Amino acid sequence: MEIYVHIPFCERKCNYCDFLSGPADENTKQIYTDALITEIKKRAQSLSRGNKVTSIYFGGGTPSVMTPAQLGAIYTAIGHEFVIDRDAEITIEVNPKSGRDKLHYLREIGFNRLSIGMQSSHKSELELLGRIHTYDDFAECFIDARDAGFKNISVDIMTAIPGQTEQMLSATINKVLDFSPEHISTYSLIIEKGTPFYERFGDIEGPVVGEETERKLYWMTVDMLKDKGYKHYEISNFAKPGFESRHNTGYWKRVHYLGVGLGASSCLPEKEFDARMRNTTDLATYVKDPLAQEEYNVLTKNEMIEETIYLGLRMMDGVDTDAFESKFGCTVRSLYGDTIDDLVAQGLVYEGAGSLSLSDLGIDYGNHVFAQFLK
Ligand code: SF4
């Protein structure tokens, strides 16, 4: 089992962000910490004690805006209530202005993986995005993180930023590669409703830079990172051998996970099927009742099958069709033979011995391919 901890606070809201996050005062952060610890204790009581936790992920928001004492208290509560695997991957998302002392503290209490939201090395792009940091902040943060003992660091890069050229993106990528992080995530900017970018760029479908440019930037990124020895293991994720994100891989492989915190989602076993649930997204409701949920769906077998396929196809190794057969008692081909034949004929998927995966063309048309497996 994996655990996700949602910290919904940031220093300032970025111009493109529609995540459940925003600035908060110190009092609110402390009240939230107390509610989170209550939730962790109560959820642990209702779960089987035998489950070993293989990954813990503090995401947000920006978890590093919390004080060391608050992060330590949340981490300690998890350690008290759950059996954490000796080799567990324990990640925290940090902004590049987290500061040396906090990074040292995080490593000391047990975090062993950092995810740094760098996004771009260009001042103009960072300002456009509304980020609070500079490239120099990122560089200092990375050096401090290594100094604190982090041997597994992921860096986020944003692509398809309005006005971004291939030269600009390749400069950002090269500046990240200078630090040789173990993992790199790249995300194409999409304009979301309710954000300042939506007001500015309008209700456009797809990337602001246009589909063709977005694809060019994507494949340039893939080529540059593969060339430097990174494995392209998921549509948007790259890792040095052995450093694939366990948390994200678990999600794509449908490993059970408990999400705690405001709006956090979980996928947990419910008799023979799985249930997907989501905590309340209202902060006042959450601090009053940290077990309040706004969604609780027990999946049908068919829904679990669909999820297994479209999440599995995000991984470059694809869906493990042997594991699928063991789990569901039928083959992928017996359910989707005609669909697979059509997609193979169009060059969108490969069917190998024991796997079904996207081709390069299939990556470009990923959403279309995934939709074919939804009944
Ligand atoms: S730091 Fe991340 S979560 Fe916070 S506003 Fe910016 S993009 Fe959103």
Side-chain angles (χ1 to χ4, degrees):
M1 190 181 104
E2 306 188 339
I3 294 180
Y4 172 78
V5 180
H6 189 71
I7 305 291
F9 307 124
C10 296
E11 296 283 353
R12 190 176 75 191
K13 194 79 179 162
C14 300
N15 292 333
Y16 56 93
C17 177
D18 75 334
F19 297 156
L20 189 54
S21 65
D25 59 33
E26 292 312 314
N27 188 42
T28 305
K29 288 180 197 165
Q30 187 53 49
I31 291 170
Y32 184 77
T33 303
D34 297 340
L36 199 47
I37 291 171
T38 303
E39 185 190 2
I40 290 164
K41 288 183 181 161
K42 291 193 172 171
R43 297 264 183 235
Q45 284 162 13
S46 62
L47 287 167
S48 152
R49 292 255 155 192
N51 278 335
K52 263 206 177 170
V53 175
T54 54
S55 161
I56 302 172
Y57 192 101
F58 279 48
T62 312
S64 59
V65 298
M66 305 298 272
T67 64
Q70 289 163 341
L71 292 168
I74 299 164
Y75 185 87
T76 304
I78 295 172
H80 275 154
E81 302 297 333
F82 294 91
V83 182
I84 301 174
D85 195 80
R86 199 183 273 262
D87 299 324
E89 176 188 275
I90 305 172
T91 307
I92 183 163
E93 291 177 353
V94 298
N95 78 37
K97 284 170 96 81
S98 294
R100 180 187 155 78
D101 291 348
K102 195 176 276 183
L103 295 173
H104 277 261
Y105 176 77
L106 292 171
R107 184 68 195 97
E108 270 162 31
I109 63 172
F111 287 93
N112 55 27
R113 184 171 184 271
L114 281 190
S115 173
I116 308 178
M118 180 225 195
Q119 315 308 351
S120 168
S121 64
H122 301 283
K123 190 167 177 267
S124 59
E125 288 186 335
L126 291 169
E127 283 176 0
L128 177 69
L129 295 170
R131 303 289 300 189
I132 58 165
H133 66 270
T134 62
Y135 168 74
D136 288 344
D137 293 329
F138 162 76
E140 196 179 319
C141 177
F142 200 101
I143 291 165
D144 287 342
R146 286 286 194 231
D147 188 46
F150 284 97
K151 296 188 171 67
N152 188 354
I153 302 179
S154 180
V155 177
D156 286 352
I157 296 175
M158 185 163 282
T159 64
I161 298 170
Q164 189 176 52
T165 61
E166 287 178 70
Q167 289 74 14
M168 288 170 84
L169 178 58
S170 79
T172 290
I173 294 171
N174 279 325
K175 286 200 163 182
V176 171
L177 289 171
D178 284 345
F179 289 93
S180 198
E182 284 66 35
H183 188 278
I184 297 173
S185 296
T186 66
Y187 295 104
S188 288
L189 176 74
I190 297 287
I191 305 298
E192 305 285 358
K193 274 199 177 129
T195 63
F197 267 17
Y198 187 82
E199 302 301 317
R200 179 164 176 178
F201 296 106
D203 186 6
I204 48 169
E205 278 218 359
V208 172
V209 293
E211 293 285 350
E212 203 182 318
T213 303
E214 190 271 337
R215 286 294 83 196
K216 241 192 237 168
L217 295 171
Y218 175 83
W219 286 109
M220 183 191 80
T221 305
V222 171
D223 290 344
M224 285 181 74
L225 296 182
K226 278 166 93 168
D227 194 46
K228 291 290 178 190
Y230 287 84
K231 182 180 173 195
H232 183 204
Y233 73 98
E234 191 270 346
I235 292 177
S236 307
N237 286 280
F238 304 81
K240 289 185 178 175
F243 286 96
E244 295 86 352
S245 160
R246 199 180 296 168
H247 173 79
N248 290 350
T249 304
Y251 178 76
W252 296 310
K253 291 193 170 175
R254 297 192 81 263
V255 173
H256 291 131
Y257 65 94
L258 169 69
V260 290
L262 187 71
S265 301
S266 302
C267 178
L268 293 167
E270 176 71 49
K271 298 191 182 128
E272 58 182 313
F273 295 120
D274 289 342
R276 285 203 179 267
M277 51 208 95
R278 186 171 197 216
N279 283 356
T280 178
T281 50
D282 180 66
L283 185 58
T285 305
Y286 180 76
V287 296
K288 228 189 288 158
D289 175 12
L291 295 185
Q293 290 180 324
E294 61 181 35
E295 275 176 41
Y296 189 97
N297 296 320
V298 179
L299 301 179
T300 62
K301 182 178 174 187
N302 192 43
E303 286 170 329
M304 287 171 61
I305 285 172
E306 289 176 357
E307 282 191 9
T308 303
I309 303 228
Y310 71 72
L311 290 174
L313 281 173
R314 293 195 61 88
M315 312 274 301
M316 295 303 103
D317 287 344
V319 180
D320 180 335
T321 50
D322 294 334
F324 180 99
E325 187 176 356
S326 313
K327 184 170 171 88
F328 295 110
C330 57
T331 62
V332 177
R333 183 151 267 288
S334 70
L335 298 174
Y336 293 106
D338 291 347
T339 303
I340 293 170
D341 288 341
D342 281 352
L343 292 170
V344 170
Q346 293 169 63
L348 295 170
V349 300
Y350 294 125
E351 194 179 19
S355 72
L356 181 73
S357 55
L358 291 178
S359 65
D360 284 358
L361 187 64
I363 292 175
D364 285 339
Y365 293 96
N367 288 338
H368 166 75
V369 174
F370 305 149
Q372 307 314 303
F373 291 94
L374 304 178
K375 298 236 160 150

